[in-house]
Amino acid sequence: MEFGFTKQEEAFRLEVRDFLREELGDKPAGRTPRELFSREFTKKLAAKGWLGVGWPTEYGGLGRPYTEQLAYFEEMIRSRAPQGAHILAQNMVGPTLVRVGTEEQKREFLPKILNGDVVFCLGYTEPNAGSDLANCQTAAVIDGEEWVINGQKMFTSFAGQADYCWMTVKTDPDAPKKHRGISMFIVDMKTPGVTVRPLDTMWDYSVYEVFFDNVRVPGTAVVGELNQGWHYLTVALDHERVFMGGCVSLHMRLFEEVVQYAKTTYRNGKPISEDPIIRQKLAQLRIDLEIGRMFAHRVAWLLGRGTIPFAEASMTKIFTSELEQRLANTAMQILGLYGPLSEGARA
């Protein structure tokens, strides 16, 4: 099947591109990690209704096709627009609440997400639960009408800025299979007992570890049905992977920059782009980038048909993640000693 965008979708893409160029300029590589979080910029997107591009109109969204949402994500990612203040809420929390949230949760959170008034962090990873998310050890026990949460989350992006945490919690330790005893909670980050500590990275960027020490939350903090968190987790991730598929557009831009470097860097009187080994590596990357884009289109197409693409979304995730690593490794090989340096360090 050949995927593509309609004239309406391409027109919307150009509208987004023009807006981003006017707001941000056309030099994405210069933006630092800290500049990728901006509540002010999120508010500008909210004013245009773009935080709900693919959301149903009955919940305040634009009701656009998922393919149009993909076009929007491609432009946002390609320009490295600040998305930290809204991306989890827009891409994971909101769509999942639309499907499985209580009416009270929809009234409470969906308008705030669409207006850019609330920031979520994602509480999935733990010291012993990374790729194996079913190994969740953060636990909650019922005490009257409240749940008491104890545990730890790791490498939590935006926890230092977030208003709420969208998190997995073990609520049935005796479940026959560990993934069946997990529930999804929304926890106010200002709740007593929540402690946030930064973990600085080499990229001038902080993730966080979050501790929950006898954190008491109301029964309304449970999303959907109790012990159905594994299903809700996968629904949220499948929606996120439309965004992940859109990341190929940034990979493509980085690829183009590496190609330009190869064309303008000479060795023994010839541009290194004429080296047959380098040409082969770049050609393979270009093929892989096109495959990654097709994966993303397929996920958007399936979502548009009302299908939750569990397998296809996972395939997209692993392919694009490994593609990002191959792109980085190849770029490091081509740039040589300049590879680890920040932009401008060469001069």
Side-chain angles (χ1 to χ4, degrees):
M1 179 178 290
E2 182 177 349
F3 297 104
F5 294 97
T6 66
K7 290 183 179 180
Q8 175 183 326
E9 290 162 354
E10 288 294 355
F12 178 59
R13 178 194 296 278
L14 293 177
E15 180 185 356
V16 174
R17 184 178 299 175
D18 290 343
F19 168 81
L20 294 174
R21 184 177 294 117
E22 180 178 343
E23 289 289 332
L24 305 173
D26 195 35
K27 194 171 182 293
R31 281 190 270 283
T32 68
R34 299 184 189 279
E35 291 173 331
L36 300 180
F37 184 97
S38 170
R39 287 180 183 258
E40 180 183 3
F41 185 77
T42 290
K43 278 289 191 179
K44 292 181 179 180
L45 296 175
K48 298 183 76 66
W50 288 352
L51 296 185
V53 172
W55 289 27
T57 54
E58 58 264 38
Y59 294 108
L62 298 182
R64 302 285 181 83
Y66 280 99
T67 47
E68 193 159 333
Q69 188 176 15
L70 175 60
Y72 163 80
F73 284 142
E74 285 182 341
E75 293 304 315
M76 290 286 290
I77 296 167
R78 184 177 175 83
S79 68
R80 293 192 74 205
Q83 299 193 77
H86 63 266
I87 194 60
L88 292 173
Q90 175 192 28
N91 224 25
M92 298 180 69
V93 178
T96 306
L97 288 179
V98 166
R99 285 182 176 268
V100 305
T102 65
E103 289 304 314
E104 180 182 356
Q105 289 168 342
K106 293 174 183 177
R107 289 193 301 270
E108 170 71 15
F109 292 107
L110 296 184
K112 292 180 180 179
I113 293 172
L114 290 174
N115 292 330
D117 293 333
V118 63
V119 176
F120 276 83
C121 62
L122 186 64
Y124 284 1
T125 303
E126 299 183 3
N128 295 311
S131 298
D132 181 16
L133 290 178
N135 198 33
C136 171
Q137 300 299 309
T138 297
V141 295
I142 193 72
D143 183 15
E145 296 184 354
E146 295 182 320
W147 288 91
V148 182
I149 303 175
N150 283 280
Q152 178 186 0
K153 299 294 180 178
M154 288 288 292
F155 308 123
T156 307
S157 297
F158 317 124
Q161 300 85 22
D163 303 298
Y164 294 91
C165 184
W166 171 269
M167 61 184 293
T168 51
V169 180
K170 178 74 75 173
T171 47
D172 183 3
D174 299 320
K177 294 186 177 181
K178 57 186 179 181
H179 71 277
R180 293 182 180 175
I182 294 173
S183 297
M184 191 71 70
F185 278 63
I186 295 177
V187 176
D188 190 326
M189 294 294 285
K190 297 186 296 294
T191 307
V194 177
T195 302
V196 179
R197 296 179 184 172
L199 296 170
D200 295 331
T201 71
M202 293 176 64
W203 196 41
D204 189 30
Y205 178 72
S206 295
V207 291
Y208 299 85
E209 53 184 346
V210 186
F211 299 90
F212 299 86
D213 184 13
N214 291 323
V215 175
R216 305 183 74 89
V217 299
T220 54
V222 179
V223 176
E225 297 182 27
L226 195 66
N227 297 324
Q228 293 299 307
W230 181 259
H231 173 67
Y232 303 153
L233 177 155
T234 57
V235 170
L237 288 175
D238 288 339
H239 281 278
E240 181 211 23
R241 283 162 187 168
V242 175
F243 169 80
M244 290 300 298
C247 287
V248 176
S249 63
L250 176 58
H251 303 341
M252 184 69 78
R253 185 155 195 164
L254 295 174
F255 169 79
E256 292 167 354
E257 291 171 352
V258 173
V259 170
Q260 182 62 24
Y261 175 88
K263 288 181 176 180
T264 56
T265 301
Y266 283 72
R267 185 180 299 142
N268 299 324
K270 294 182 178 180
I272 62 175
S273 59
E274 294 185 10
D275 184 303
I277 295 178
I278 290 178
R279 291 176 68 86
Q280 190 277 330
K281 289 179 179 292
L282 292 175
Q284 186 60 58
L285 276 177
R286 183 62 182 83
I287 293 170
D288 290 348
L289 285 164
E290 190 62 28
I291 294 172
R293 195 160 185 258
M294 290 300 100
F295 272 126
H297 278 256
R298 181 171 63 164
V299 170
W301 179 75
L302 288 170
L303 284 168
R305 291 168 61 90
T307 302
I308 298 296
F310 293 115
E312 294 83 0
S314 296
M315 291 167 64
T316 301
K317 165 64 175 177
I318 192 169
F319 185 86
T320 54
S321 296
E322 292 182 351
L323 171 58
E324 185 173 7
Q325 293 179 18
R326 291 196 297 273
L327 174 59
N329 288 337
T330 301
M332 290 284 286
Q333 292 168 12
I334 293 175
L335 269 65
L337 295 177
Y338 294 122
L341 302 179
S342 301
E343 185 184 22
R346 181 180 183 180

